[in-house]
């Protein structure tokens, strides 16, 4: 309050999250977020648009479609009476507001639901308006933003309301076919037919903290099967842990997050200038001969830059995306979208860490099935949007535990190999540290496979090879010498196409220079692919792996 002002009872509200009194004007300034506990209160569609879009940019789309009472439905009140009350209470004609606008100058079509209008229920009119918005986005080839707040399908319209799930899903399918980015912003609550259609079909799903999302609401579950629900059930934090959404962003950061995604989408048409070839070593004789075991130890050095480190140096506006949309979010795989020298890229990489705590949290860079499925989901997004893929490989191998095996580890790796072989966009893979077995190759089926000078790449770790063939793990140095996992040998056999030089003392001695060398190498490799058609890049990649292991696949030294 300002000096001299006197507060009245109406100036205060009780936060439903922590039951603390909050000054109403402060709550409004904070976008209905409680300053004490962070509870995100509901916003109206108008408030949401004001928060997210550039001032004055929102242009309503067409006339609002009036709902119909084709069933002449009556519960405790006739359906027309409920509609009139909803209009009077909300000031809206229906439960969704559809506009064309801009976010930081980037055009976007937006359909924003308002829970005040019959619980944001999905009826025929709402389905029509969302479908029209998607069709407008398709016609203009402009990203689509869907903001959900709904209890589900509108019961008063019977089976026709159910059909809106298919109707809106089909509209999103057309956007997928056209390569247009779709973003879902999940707010509290989002249930039923909305959750089981357009709210969870978008390329990127962002949720507000503690927003609830699910098909069956808690009341339905409890009353139908009498099951006791765990704490946090269906809340955003649980959904993120289970791999069902991409990220949780507080309301104050939503606009920035959406801007980052739209900037990425807008950068798809940018082209890199022609790059020189001096950034890469292609002649194995130009590389020094190194002891195999010493190279393995260098590749495993905990000081070497990780995928997250390289992202900080190389990728502008990186937005990490989480989850496989099925079962989990593997921390050993980092994946997301951003810009490399102004051009949109999808980046996927293994993540180890530098300290014991991070190594354990990241599972020492050993991915689980959900990690490989997350990688596949991001690569499919790249294919949809026509964006190149960059993968950074640094793993001792795929996670060998029981949970991974019962979760389908072999199948998840196999699916990635097949998927990458047929991706219609350029793919460049870089072994930055340790490239171990099929867990590394699951990110390595690329048009151009690069390798840092002190990295290693092998069918098995030296310790594993020694244990199996020498029956003695201590024979690891001898096994390393036999496996020849160094860059010089792999370049000679064309397993890798080129080598990225490292600073004296290795990438860990000067991460900034190492990142600069990696950037130059990536740009040179991507430049080789920039004129290829989708069919060309697929044919190039398949031909590359087809020749490996044949007599013509080995160069003489």
């Amino acid at each position: 309050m300002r000096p001299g002002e006197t507060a009245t009872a109406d100036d205060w509200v009780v936060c439903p999250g922590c039951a603390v009194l909050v000054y109403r004007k402060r709550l409004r300034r904070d976008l209905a977020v409680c300053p004490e506990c962070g509870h995100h209160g509901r916003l109206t569609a108008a408030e949401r648009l004001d928060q997210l879009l550039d001032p004055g940019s929102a242009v309503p789309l067409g006339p609002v479609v009036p709902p119909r009472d084709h069933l002449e439905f009556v519960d405790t009140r006739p359906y027309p009476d409920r509609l009139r009350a909803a209009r009077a209470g909300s000031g809206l004609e229906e439960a969704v507001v559809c506009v064309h606008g801009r976010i930081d100058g980037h055009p976007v079509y937006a359909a924003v639901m308002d829970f005040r209008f019959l619980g944001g229920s999905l009826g025929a009119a709402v389905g029509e308006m969302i479908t029209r918005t998607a069709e407008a986005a398709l016609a203009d080839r402009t990203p689509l933003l869907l903001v959900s707040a709904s209890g589900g399908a509108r019961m008063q319209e019977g089976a026709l309301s159910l059909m809106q799930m298919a109707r809106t899903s089909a509209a999103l399918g057309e956007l997928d076919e056209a390569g247009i980015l779709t973003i879902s912003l999940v707010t509290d609550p989002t249930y039923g037919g909305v959750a089981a259609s357009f709210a969870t079909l978008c390329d990127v799903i962002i949720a507000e903290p503690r927003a609830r999302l699910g098909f069956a609401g808690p009341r339905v579950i409890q009353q139908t099967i009498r099951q006791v629900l765990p704490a946090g059930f269906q809340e955003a934090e649980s959904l993120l842990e289970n791999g069902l959404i991409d990220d949780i962003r507080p309301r104050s950061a939503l606009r920035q997050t959406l801007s980052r995604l739209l900037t990425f989408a807008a950068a798809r048409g940018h082209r890199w200038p022609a790059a020189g070839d001096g950034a890469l070593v292609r002649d194995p004789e130009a590389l020094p001969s190194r002891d195999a075991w010493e190279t393995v130890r260098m590749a495993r050095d905990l000081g070497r830059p990780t995928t997250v480190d390289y992202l900080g140096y190389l990728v502008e506006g990186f937005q990490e995306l989480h989850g496989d949309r099925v079962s989990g979010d593997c921390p050993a795989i980092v994946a997301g979208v951003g810009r490399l020298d102004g051009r949109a890229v999808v980046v996927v990489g293994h993540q180890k860490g530098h300290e014991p705590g991070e190594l354990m949290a990241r599972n020492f860079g050993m991915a689980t099935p959900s990690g490989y499925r997350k990688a596949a989901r991001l690569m499919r997004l790249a294919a949809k949007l026509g964006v190149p893929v960059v993968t950074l490989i640094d793993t001792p191998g795929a996670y060998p535990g029981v949970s991974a095996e019962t979760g389908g580890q072999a199948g998840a790796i196999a699916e990635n190999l097949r998927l990458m072989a047929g991706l219609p966009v350029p793919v460049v893979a870089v072994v930055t540290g340790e490239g171990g077995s099929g867990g590394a190759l699951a990110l390595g089926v690329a048009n151009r496979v690069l390798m840092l000078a002190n990295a290693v790449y092998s069918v098995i770790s030296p310790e594993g090879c020694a244990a199996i063939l020498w029956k003695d793990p201590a024979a690891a140095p001898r096994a390393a010498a036999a496996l020849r996992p160094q860059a010089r040998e792999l370049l000679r056999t064309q397993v890798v196409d080129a080598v990225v030089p490292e600073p004296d003392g290795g990438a860990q001695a000067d991460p900034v220079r190492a990142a600069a060398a990696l950037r130059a190498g990536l740009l040179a490799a991507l430049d080789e692919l920039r004129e290829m058609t989708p069919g060309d890049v697929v044919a190039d990649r398949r031909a590359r792996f087809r020749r490996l292991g044949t007599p013509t696949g080995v160069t003489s030294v």
Side-chain angles (χ1 to χ4, degrees), residues 287 295 451-455 485-492 496 499:
L287 296 171
T295 306
M451 189 173 183
L452 267 63
N454 292 311
Q486 312 99 302
R488 177 187 171 99
E489 295 298 326
L490 294 167
L491 186 58
R492 185 182 69 83
V496 300
V499 174

Side-chain angles (χ1 to χ4, degrees), residues 81 141 262 319 329 405 430 507 538 550:
D81 287 354
R141 301 196 64 80
L262 294 174
Q319 175 63 48
D329 179 45
E405 291 301 313
V430 187
V538 173
T550 66

Side-chain angles (χ1 to χ4, degrees), residues 4 67 103 115 122 125 135 218 233 295 308 311 389 405 489 500-501 528:
I103 298 177
F115 197 80
L122 175 61
E135 290 170 345
F233 178 69
T295 306
V308 169
L311 288 170
V389 175
E405 291 301 313
E489 295 298 326
V500 178
E528 295 177 9

Side-chain angles (χ1 to χ4, degrees), residues 441-466:
L441 184 61
L443 299 187
V445 183
N447 296 90
R448 299 293 181 268
V449 179
L450 312 180
M451 189 173 183
L452 267 63
N454 292 311
V456 293
Y457 200 6
S458 178
V459 65
I460 192 172
S461 70
E463 294 87 346
C465 179

Side-chain angles (χ1 to χ4, degrees), residues 369-386:
S370 66
Y372 293 117
R373 287 194 291 261
K374 173 169 64 172
R377 182 171 76 84
L378 267 291
M379 288 188 279
R380 290 190 186 97
L381 175 61
K384 168 186 167 175
L385 299 177

Side-chain angles (χ1 to χ4, degrees), residues 482-553:
L483 289 167
R484 300 185 182 183
Q486 312 99 302
R488 177 187 171 99
E489 295 298 326
L490 294 167
L491 186 58
R492 185 182 69 83
T493 56
Q494 297 184 358
V495 170
V496 300
D497 300 293
V499 174
V500 178
E502 294 188 32
D504 292 341
Q508 60 270 42
D510 194 340
V512 175
R513 284 185 59 200
L518 178 55
R519 170 188 272 110
L522 286 171
L523 293 176
L526 287 165
D527 177 56
E528 295 177 9
L529 309 170
R530 64 184 180 135
E531 299 298 334
M532 289 188 181
T533 67
D536 289 340
V537 295
V538 173
D540 172 85
R541 195 179 310 123
R542 288 174 173 167
R544 181 194 184 281
F545 285 88
R546 173 65 180 84
R547 67 176 177 264
L548 292 179
T550 66
T552 57

Side-chain angles (χ1 to χ4, degrees), residues 272 314 316 338-345 390 519 522-523 526:
W272 288 291
L314 301 178
E316 309 152 36
R339 290 165 289 128
L340 175 63
D341 273 27
R343 178 68 156 82
V345 290
V390 171
R519 170 188 272 110
L522 286 171
L523 293 176
L526 287 165

